Amino acid sequence: MITLKSSHELDLMRQAGKITAAARALAGAMVAPGVTTREIDRAVARYIRSRGASPSFLHYNGYPASVCISVNDEVIHGIPGNRVLREGDIVSVDVGAFKDGFHGDCAGTFPCGEVSEEARRLMEVTRQSFFEGIRYAREGYRLPDLSGAVQRFVEERGFSVVREFVGHGIGRKMHEDPEVPNYVEPKAGRPRFLRGMTIAVEPMVNAGGAGVYTMPDGWTVRTADGRLSAHYENTILITDGEPELLTDPDAKAE
């Protein structure tokens, strides 16, 4: 069931979103050759807790870290560890923060030093596909309008949209109704956007084919063909006009 948030609940979601967006910015600023993914995870966890929140992902369905950090051909859910980032890597960071009963959720893909032209274009198309999609995240439109806009933008530029994983509603729970595919999926239905809905829109885009598989760790998802993948996400609010981004893309860690 899709839940519409009250003004009080939205104020709380704005606070969670602000912390989450700043945590993403901190992680992105740390992406550099020689840094380990565990160092980023620990710094982000410390920051989230310093703001009176807790990492949404830690122990969620058994996930063992506070941040998902996925490198190069890893699509999502990469587990931080001893991996040392190298020049030319692209690094997807997915982070959530829980405060006063509500979650924020956002992601971004960052270059590690100088990256290839293909990698840079993939990151740009992935990010822009989010903004193309949320042009339809307003009253009067339906979910497939948003999903189709993301899919068209990505595929017209020669990339592929991951189908096994989708965006989602968000609020008191990390994952709420509705599912938010990045492609037109008839099974997802045609829910109408209504003011007060809060959703996480998160294109996951592959440089090659759309196929993915999950590693033996049970979490890390990689591209089937070994090509690069990028991820971009924000938590948004449906209003009576333009959607409000609850995880500000321009946020900085305080």
Side-chain angles (χ1 to χ4, degrees):
M1 183 178 69
I2 297 172
T3 61
L4 305 181
K5 310 305 190 293
S6 69
S7 59
H8 174 64
E9 290 172 327
L10 290 172
D11 285 341
L12 296 176
M13 288 198 69
R14 290 184 181 98
Q15 291 303 309
K18 183 177 180 181
I19 295 166
T20 308
R24 171 179 57 188
L26 171 63
M30 290 184 68
V31 170
V35 176
T36 68
T37 54
R38 179 175 286 120
E39 288 176 289
I40 297 173
D41 178 71
R42 289 176 173 171
V44 170
R46 284 194 300 270
Y47 175 77
I48 290 173
R49 292 192 176 101
S50 76
R51 300 302 308 278
S54 58
S56 295
F57 299 168
L58 185 61
H59 307 313
Y60 184 79
N61 291 335
Y63 185 71
S66 299
V67 186
C68 298
I69 305 179
S70 309
V71 183
N72 294 335
D73 65 325
E74 296 172 349
V75 182
I76 51 171
H77 301 162
I79 301 172
N82 295 326
R83 181 170 187 163
V84 178
L85 298 180
R86 302 183 184 281
E87 184 88 12
D89 287 341
I90 63 171
V91 183
S92 296
V93 177
D94 192 355
V95 60
F98 181 73
K99 181 174 172 61
D100 296 331
F102 288 88
H103 293 274
D105 187 11
C106 64
T109 303
F110 302 92
C112 185
E114 292 297 320
V115 301
S116 69
E117 180 58 31
E118 178 189 57
R120 188 164 300 280
R121 184 166 174 268
L122 173 66
M123 290 187 293
E124 290 172 353
V125 167
T126 303
R127 186 180 191 277
Q128 187 59 36
S129 72
F130 165 87
F131 290 99
E132 295 295 321
I134 67 165
R135 292 168 55 198
Y136 299 91
R138 55 193 303 164
E139 288 190 312
Y141 291 99
R142 295 180 181 270
L143 179 59
D145 298 319
L146 184 157
S147 301
V150 173
Q151 181 179 11
R152 285 192 302 274
F153 186 83
V154 168
E155 293 179 351
E156 286 173 359
R157 284 151 184 82
F159 297 124
S160 301
V161 172
V162 172
R163 284 163 165 72
E164 284 84 351
F165 300 90
V166 298
H168 50 91
I170 184 171
R172 291 188 181 276
K173 296 180 180 179
M174 170 60 66
H175 293 98
E176 299 182 350
D177 290 335
E179 289 192 343
V180 184
N182 299 301
Y183 62 99
V184 177
E185 169 53 82
K187 293 180 181 178
R190 293 178 52 82
R192 187 184 299 278
F193 290 123
L194 299 172
R195 72 185 75 179
M197 287 177 63
T198 48
I199 58 176
V201 180
E202 52 177 318
M204 290 154 273
V205 179
N206 294 347
V212 300
Y213 70 98
T214 302
M215 295 288 288
D217 64 20
W219 286 102
T220 308
V221 177
R222 304 180 77 165
T223 59
D225 57 12
R227 301 279 297 276
L228 297 175
S229 186
H231 185 197
Y232 188 78
E233 174 186 22
N234 283 301
T235 300
I236 69 169
L237 164 66
I238 307 300
T239 73
D240 57 358
E242 294 294 324
E244 178 183 343
L245 274 66
L246 301 180
T247 48
D248 180 2
D250 299 320
K252 304 295 182 186
E254 298 175 5

